[in-house]
Amino acid sequence: MISLKPKLAKLFAKNVRKTILKWSSKPIETQKKVFQKLIKEARHTKFGKDHDFKSINTHQDFIERVPIRDYEALKPYVDKVVAGEEDVLWKGKPLYFAKTSGTTSGAKYIPLTKESMPTHVEAARNAILMYIAETGSSKFVNGKMIFLQGSPVLEEKNGIQLGRLSGIVAHYVPKYLQKNRMPSLETNCIDDWETKVEAIVEETLPENMTVISGIPSWVQMYFEKIQNKTGQKVGDVFKNFNLFIFGGVNYEPYRSKFENLIGRKVDSIELYPASEGFFAFQDRQNEKGMLLQLNSGMFYEFIEADTFFDENPKRITIADVEVGVNYVMIISTNAGLWAYNIGDTVEFTSTKPYRVIVSGRIKHFISAFGEHVIGKEVEQALQEVIVSSSISVTEFTVAPQINPNSGLPFHEWFIEFENEPENLSDLANKIDKSLQQQNSYYYDLIVGKVLQPLKVTMVQKNGFQDYMKSIGKLGGQNKIPRLSNDRKIADALYVQKLTK
């Protein structure tokens, strides 16, 4: 019997593509409408009254009345919402809190409202539909699909449910996909990540898996367990697996490792989801960057990353952004986040339409000596070396070594290799040259003999997994920072190495 699903998926994809082209072809007008609606809807909230939303008509009015805040600064308002108060940041009460781990504030409670929740679900769906519209490939909708995610078990706090974003979203899988979705609810509720992955392997091995998705580092763990259990490449175990959906980190450092584990190339779709909003997804297979979601109840502002810590950095809208500039992204949303700094930096790869790549975190950088090295630069440097060699990298992070036993300070790269390089110092030199070419500050410090070239320290197999396990962050949406301005992770990796 021929399934109707692929045909219906193509028709649905065609309609969704038309809708997306409509708003993406009028980006500035679209954002203006979103801005006006957000201000109008939140006028009578506590936040709206405190910041005189009634008198806000333009972006400049907004800048003058609403300062940039991170979670710490917004916390007094969030605390009121968590305590059960209504009409604080947004009208009424949120549907959910997405609970994430904070840095200085402990747990963070990010509100999800009845207006914002559908945008998370639609963006994930639309990413797949745009892929179908572009490629014409839709047979995979008949197969089994998996998303490696957090537990869907939710708690309750003052009448509002809370949990991990991926666990909340799991409750919104459309009925027509319920039979295709894996793992089972029982397996998805397992807390211990390693036990959960083992159970997922057992469940999925006999199935016709066509779509696999999740953060690359955790999908890699799943793939390795499949290979160890079967002695086969993942692509031979799942012959119809042809689409990998990922988000959270840059895929490029993992690409060669994945192709080796799978045994062939598969199409991929990159997503940019966060608890605060689903910001972008890859809308074209052969275009760099992800389509910024301008019609999803989120108003965007951007600040050049180099000026972010100035006293009054300039806040601009998409009308004034330029391709190739590193920006801190600021959002105002229909979940009640206002001029909110999510901590990410982005670069535009296109303004027709507006596409972005995530270049790093404003707090994840190395500037111990004034070098301003960011995530995108270290990823690109490593990727260039990987492409021109036969090495394969499992995971990596970078930290400054300010007080070496001898010689000048340097950047220390901690890399877990799948297959070790023949010459570690040669590899380090190549990475260092790429970094110098990308970053003029770093180049000047090397040439000026303030820093010596970087050094690579090898991390033992599963070293990063062991580290994440030791801090209680194995699995789910947790990721290793690409770089740190301190040696907290570096020192933990050293201690781990000594105790092995």
Side-chain angles (χ1 to χ4, degrees):
M1 184 178 168
I2 298 169
S3 171
L4 285 173
K5 273 188 183 177
K7 283 187 179 180
L8 291 172
K10 281 186 181 181
L11 285 171
F12 193 18
K14 198 176 177 183
N15 289 331
V16 165
R17 186 171 178 270
K18 277 183 188 173
T19 304
I20 289 172
L21 288 175
K22 195 173 178 182
W23 62 252
S24 63
S25 63
K26 295 178 181 176
I28 293 163
E29 185 185 317
T30 299
Q31 274 286 276
K32 207 170 277 185
K33 283 180 182 174
V34 169
F35 174 73
Q36 288 164 350
K37 190 174 183 184
L38 288 173
I39 298 300
K40 185 182 176 184
E41 295 277 316
R43 205 168 275 177
H44 302 295
T45 62
K46 175 164 177 51
F47 190 94
K49 289 172 184 173
D50 289 351
H51 295 81
D52 195 18
F53 272 26
K54 280 186 179 178
S55 67
I56 294 177
N57 295 304
T58 66
H59 179 229
Q60 188 55 42
D61 294 339
F62 185 70
I63 290 171
E64 288 167 7
R65 288 160 181 76
V66 185
I68 292 164
R69 288 176 169 91
D70 58 11
Y71 186 81
E72 305 303 320
L74 196 67
K75 196 170 181 289
Y77 286 98
V78 176
D79 286 346
K80 291 179 189 297
V81 184
V82 173
E85 288 187 35
E86 294 190 12
D87 302 322
V88 179
L89 287 163
W90 191 254
K91 55 192 180 183
K93 285 186 179 184
L95 287 180
Y96 304 97
F97 288 116
K99 189 178 178 183
T100 68
S101 52
T103 46
T104 56
S105 62
K108 289 163 66 176
Y109 296 92
I110 307 297
L112 294 163
T113 63
K114 69 175 184 183
E115 290 83 7
S116 73
M117 192 64 226
T119 64
H120 287 268
V121 181
E122 284 168 14
R125 179 203 72 189
N126 290 353
I128 296 174
L129 291 170
M130 286 294 276
Y131 170 80
I132 292 171
E134 181 191 1
T135 64
S137 173
S138 62
K139 283 183 182 177
F140 64 83
V141 300
N142 281 333
K144 297 284 186 178
M145 307 177 191
I146 191 172
F147 187 84
L148 294 175
Q149 59 191 177
S151 171
V153 176
L154 304 178
E155 303 168 48
E156 197 171 288
K157 203 170 182 73
N158 296 318
I160 300 168
Q161 290 187 302
L162 65 97
R164 297 284 178 186
L165 175 68
S166 61
I168 293 168
V169 171
H171 292 272
Y172 284 81
V173 175
K175 281 185 180 176
Y176 60 84
L177 284 182
Q178 291 286 6
K179 286 182 181 177
N180 301 62
R181 171 196 175 197
M182 296 195 80
S184 64
L185 182 63
E186 185 186 5
T187 295
N188 222 6
C189 292
I190 297 171
D191 269 333
D192 180 73
W193 186 252
E194 288 174 294
T195 308
K196 183 173 183 168
V197 175
E198 291 284 0
I200 290 171
V201 170
E202 291 299 327
E203 275 192 8
T204 53
L205 272 178
E207 301 291 346
N208 174 30
M209 301 303 300
T210 55
V211 179
I212 295 171
S213 56
I215 290 175
S217 51
W218 306 121
V219 175
Q220 180 179 307
M221 186 177 173
Y222 166 62
F223 282 173
E224 285 172 342
K225 286 184 182 296
I226 284 174
Q227 197 172 58
N228 290 340
K229 193 170 184 68
T230 65
Q232 292 180 281
K233 299 284 188 185
V234 173
D236 292 327
V237 175
F238 304 133
K239 296 188 187 302
N240 296 315
F241 164 47
N242 282 303
L243 183 59
F244 173 50
I245 303 173
F246 68 95
V249 296
N250 182 5
Y251 180 44
E252 290 311 313
Y254 298 95
R255 191 177 290 278
S256 62
K257 174 76 187 289
F258 266 59
E259 285 175 3
N260 182 43
L261 283 167
I262 298 165
R264 55 183 161 82
K265 290 186 178 183
V266 297
D267 284 350
S268 60
I269 303 174
E270 184 174 9
L271 310 178
Y272 182 10
S275 299
E276 297 85 353
F278 201 123
F279 303 121
F281 62 77
Q282 183 181 349
D283 64 316
R284 297 291 296 272
Q285 285 291 295
N286 296 316
E287 294 285 348
K288 190 181 179 187
M290 295 171 282
L291 185 71
L292 193 62
Q293 297 300 285
L294 303 175
N295 196 34
S296 295
M298 295 178 287
F299 176 70
Y300 300 92
E301 296 175 273
F302 301 92
I303 297 170
E304 288 194 31
D306 288 346
T307 68
F308 182 73
F309 294 106
D310 294 353
E311 196 173 332
N312 284 303
K314 189 177 180 183
R315 291 159 64 176
I316 61 174
T317 67
I318 56 161
D320 297 312
V321 297
E322 296 175 16
V323 170
V325 177
N326 198 36
Y327 293 106
V328 178
M329 190 166 79
I330 308 297
I331 58 165
S332 297
T333 78
N334 55 9
L337 303 175
W338 300 102
Y340 185 85
N341 171 23
I342 61 168
D344 286 349
T345 58
V346 300
E347 276 187 23
F348 284 87
T349 59
S350 160
T351 54
K352 288 183 179 179
Y354 284 87
R355 292 194 182 100
V356 295
I357 57 167
V358 181
S359 51
R361 298 278 293 166
I362 194 64
K363 289 180 180 177
H364 291 171
F365 59 88
I366 297 182
S367 200
F369 313 95
E371 61 273 43
H372 308 295
V373 170
I374 62 172
K376 175 177 170 276
E377 292 166 347
V378 297
E379 286 178 339
Q380 187 174 319
L382 183 59
Q383 182 57 25
E384 284 175 9
V385 175
I386 288 172
V387 166
S388 62
S389 71
S390 59
I391 68 161
S392 183
V393 169
T394 299
E395 191 58 271
F396 78 100
T397 193
V398 188
Q401 176 50 275
I402 298 170
N403 299 306
N405 292 330
S406 62
L408 295 168
F410 56 89
H411 284 190
E412 187 168 12
W413 287 54
F414 292 82
I415 305 178
E416 183 181 332
F417 294 98
E418 175 65 17
N419 51 322
E420 295 175 12
E422 290 178 15
N423 190 320
L424 206 58
S425 60
D426 182 49
L427 175 81
N429 287 336
K430 286 177 180 174
I431 297 172
D432 199 76
K433 279 179 184 172
S434 175
L435 208 52
Q436 287 182 47
Q437 286 169 359
Q438 292 181 74
N439 187 308
S440 58
Y441 299 107
Y442 183 73
Y443 171 81
D444 289 343
L445 290 167
I446 295 287
V447 172
K449 302 258 186 280
V450 175
L451 293 178
Q452 62 174 308
L454 66 86
K455 297 187 178 183
V456 174
T457 296
M458 285 200 289
V459 176
Q460 75 273 15
K461 189 164 177 59
N462 299 323
F464 284 100
Q465 281 185 26
D466 292 344
Y467 166 71
M468 293 297 272
K469 192 174 182 179
S470 73
I471 60 168
K473 289 191 175 183
L474 183 67
Q477 301 302 103
N478 300 309
K479 310 178 281 283
I480 288 274
R482 284 288 177 244
L483 17 74
S484 313
N485 209 34
D486 56 45
R487 289 189 62 82
K488 187 179 172 186
I489 297 172
D491 290 344
L493 289 169
Y494 262 120
V495 169
Q496 197 172 275
K497 196 174 184 179
L498 293 170
T499 55
K500 282 282 177 182

